């Protein structure tokens, strides 16, 4: 069905309660390649059995970590075929370090819907509160739905983050595994675009692609390890726009610029002439 702008814009997304454990956190970090330096004490902080440190990007999977069904893009006034959808952008702002285990409640709403003519961009915001009643994090994200535009909405602004006019302070290569998407999907994102070759081809890709949120987490971990002494508590926020696809087994080139209060980052694919995969990436320091 087409997007019903009147009922969809501002619609509440049903809240849910969820919980996570140190094993879930370990599992998530392993899906991002943590433990490759298996004798490094700082690296092993991601994998401690009782109190692993938690990358803020864990927030993107925590509410749905134990789900085994493909996600649905179905809200009030919105019902979109999953094969038409790719992730547009993601931002996480943590209000305190995410604990290694806990219980929380999330509530959300649709905040913007842009009509790009041939596609629609749907924005949502989710607020997560711990069992103690205090806020844990806020997540903002958008999806890009091919063929769902033309419903009469605003086109939306166009903006980009300007990079410093100098060479990056860091230039880091991060390989991914051929099975990276199959590992990451065990964190609750069972979209067949990342595991089923036939589904991926029907969606216009030659092979299954890596989850955008896996790339998002990989780049956050790279920046945390490279610049922040592998201390995830120094990350206040992390945002990115998904600019291209990454196939499992390819290598991410992460370029990082230090500024006063944050890190500006780009991520590209080495094997395809540094084709962009993440743009407008900003890590805000706590």
């Amino acid at each position: 069905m087409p997007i019903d702008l009147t009922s969809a814009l501002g619609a509440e997304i049903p809240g849910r309660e969820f919980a996570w454990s140190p094993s879930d956190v370990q599992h998530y970090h392993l899906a991002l390649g943590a433990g490759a330096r298996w004798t490094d004490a700082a690296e092993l902080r991601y994998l401690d059995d009782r109190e692993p440190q938690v990358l803020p990007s864990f927030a993107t999977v925590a509410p749905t970590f134990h789900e085994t069904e493909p996600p649905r893009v179905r809200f009030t006034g919105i019902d979109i075929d999953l094969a038409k959808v790719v992730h547009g952008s993601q931002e996480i702002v943590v209000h305190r370090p995410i604990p290694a285990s806990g219980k929380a409640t999330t509530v959300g709403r649709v905040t913007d819907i842009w009509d790009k003519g041939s596609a629609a961009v749907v924005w949502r915001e989710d607020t997560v509160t711990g069992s103690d009643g205090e806020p844990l994090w806020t997540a903002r994200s958008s999806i890009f739905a091919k063929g769902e535009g033309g419903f009469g909405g605003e086109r939306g602004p166009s903006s980009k983050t300007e990079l410093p006019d100098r060479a990056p302070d860091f230039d880091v290569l991060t390989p991914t595994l051929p099975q990276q998407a199959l590992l990451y999907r065990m964190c609750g994102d069972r979209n067949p675009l990342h595991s089923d070759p036939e589904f991926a081809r029907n969606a216009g890709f030659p092979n299954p692609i890596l989850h955008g949120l896996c790339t998002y987490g990989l780049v956050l971990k790279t920046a945390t390890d490279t610049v922040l002494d592998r201390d995830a508590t120094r990350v206040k926020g992390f945002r990115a726009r998904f600019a291209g696809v990454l196939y499992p087994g390819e290598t991410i080139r992460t370029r990082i610029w230090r500024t006063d209060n944050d890190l500006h980052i780009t991520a590209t694919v080495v094997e395809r002439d540094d084709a962009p995969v993440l743009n407008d990436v900003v890590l805000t320091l706590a």
Side-chain angles (χ1 to χ4, degrees), residues 7-244:
S7 60
L9 188 59
E12 292 188 0
I13 299 170
R16 62 187 300 169
E17 295 181 350
F18 62 98
W20 67 98
S21 69
S23 291
D24 297 331
V25 173
Q26 289 174 305
H27 190 158
Y28 174 71
H29 290 154
L30 286 168
L32 299 182
R37 297 179 293 273
W38 68 94
T39 60
D40 186 315
E43 176 76 0
L44 292 174
R45 292 174 60 200
Y46 291 112
L47 302 170
D48 185 82
D49 283 333
R50 291 184 175 83
E51 293 290 335
Q53 72 162 343
V54 185
L55 280 169
S57 53
F58 178 71
T60 63
V61 301
T64 56
F65 196 91
H66 297 287
E67 293 192 357
T68 57
E69 295 297 321
R72 294 182 177 182
V73 186
R74 186 177 297 168
F75 315 117
T76 300
I78 299 172
D79 190 353
I80 302 173
D81 182 352
L82 188 61
K84 296 181 178 181
V85 172
V86 293
H87 212 133
S89 63
Q90 182 69 51
E91 179 179 10
I92 294 292
V93 176
V94 291
H95 305 298
R96 49 177 162 148
I98 299 174
S101 62
K103 295 181 180 180
T105 302
T106 179
V107 294
R109 64 188 180 92
V110 175
T111 57
D112 281 295
I113 305 175
W114 298 344
D115 188 344
K116 298 296 187 180
S118 62
V121 179
V122 181
W123 287 84
R124 64 181 285 175
E125 179 175 288
D126 294 274
T127 302
V128 175
T129 303
S131 57
D132 59 0
E134 295 297 320
L136 273 172
W137 67 78
T138 301
R140 302 181 183 92
S141 62
S142 68
I143 57 170
F144 186 88
K146 295 176 288 185
E148 296 295 327
F151 52 85
E154 296 292 332
R155 184 169 179 83
S158 296
S159 61
K160 57 183 284 187
T161 301
E162 295 295 331
L163 295 170
D165 186 19
R166 55 180 171 81
D169 298 297
F170 304 91
D171 190 329
V172 187
L173 300 183
T174 304
T176 64
L177 299 169
Q179 66 269 38
Q180 197 88 53
L182 300 177
L183 289 167
Y184 189 84
R185 72 190 295 269
M186 303 302 289
C187 297
D189 189 340
R190 303 301 180 98
N191 187 338
L193 180 62
H194 309 294
S195 60
D196 184 332
E198 183 177 358
F199 186 96
R201 285 192 290 270
N202 289 338
F205 300 98
N207 287 304
I209 63 175
L210 191 62
H211 304 70
L213 286 177
C214 184
T215 304
Y216 178 87
L218 282 161
V219 171
L220 175 57
K221 183 177 185 299
T222 295
T224 302
D225 293 350
T226 303
V227 187
L228 306 181
D229 298 322
R230 300 183 198 165
D231 183 358
T233 66
R234 296 178 63 187
V235 180
K236 173 67 176 177
F238 189 62
R239 71 175 189 263
R241 179 173 59 84
F242 299 99

